[in-house]
Amino acid sequence: MPSPSLPLSTDQLDDLQAFLKDWLRHTGRTQADLRRALRTSSIRMPVLIEELQRIHNQQGLTALAQRLCGIEDLWHNEDSGSVEGGGGSELLDESLGQLDLLLEQIRLETGSDS
């Protein structure tokens, strides 16, 4: 069972919010799509961030990254079922690359506190 993590810093939360906005824009998704995937009560960004922070605090950074990757996979599968081709693989690679960069940045920032 994963151990609880230290809460994300204000800078990390700001980075997460900026990432989410870019990710949604690049994938052609909306905050409503993210709300459905996270099963939150609202599409408001603070509510979405709060849920992601809860995941991080309870299960750690890896679980947070896995949750976002799982959402990306879900969306990719939904898109694959309705659209053939169209460069979806490139968009997926770019989004997963952004997730990797976010994960690396958070690891570097939390590692410097150790």
Side-chain angles (χ1 to χ4, degrees):
M1 175 177 287
S3 61
S5 296
L6 294 174
L8 294 171
S9 70
T10 302
D11 286 343
Q12 290 170 326
L13 289 171
D14 290 345
D15 288 345
L16 179 58
Q17 181 170 325
F19 165 76
L20 290 175
K21 288 179 179 181
D22 285 344
W23 181 45
L24 292 172
R25 184 173 50 252
H26 288 301
T27 58
R29 296 293 179 158
T30 65
Q31 287 179 212
D33 295 321
L34 185 55
R35 183 213 65 81
R36 280 189 293 278
L38 291 172
R39 298 182 182 105
T40 61
S41 61
S42 172
I43 66 168
R44 292 179 45 244
M45 187 58 75
V47 174
L48 301 173
I49 294 289
E50 183 179 301
E51 175 61 16
L52 294 172
Q53 186 172 21
R54 184 193 64 75
I55 293 167
H56 173 269
N57 292 347
Q58 290 179 351
Q59 301 173 20
L61 187 58
T62 301
L64 173 60
Q66 288 173 341
R67 182 73 170 130
L68 293 174
C69 287
I71 292 169
E72 180 76 29
D73 288 343
L74 173 72
W75 290 345
H76 179 69
N77 290 336
E78 287 174 357
D79 292 345
S80 294
S82 61
V83 178
E84 293 296 323
S89 151
E90 292 171 11
L91 191 55
L92 176 62
D93 290 345
E94 180 181 334
S95 296
L96 291 176
Q98 288 180 348
L99 284 172
D100 289 339
L101 289 173
L102 175 65
L103 180 59
E104 182 180 333
Q105 180 181 1
I106 292 172
R107 281 185 177 152
L108 289 172
E109 289 176 8
T110 56
S112 64
D113 294 341
S114 304

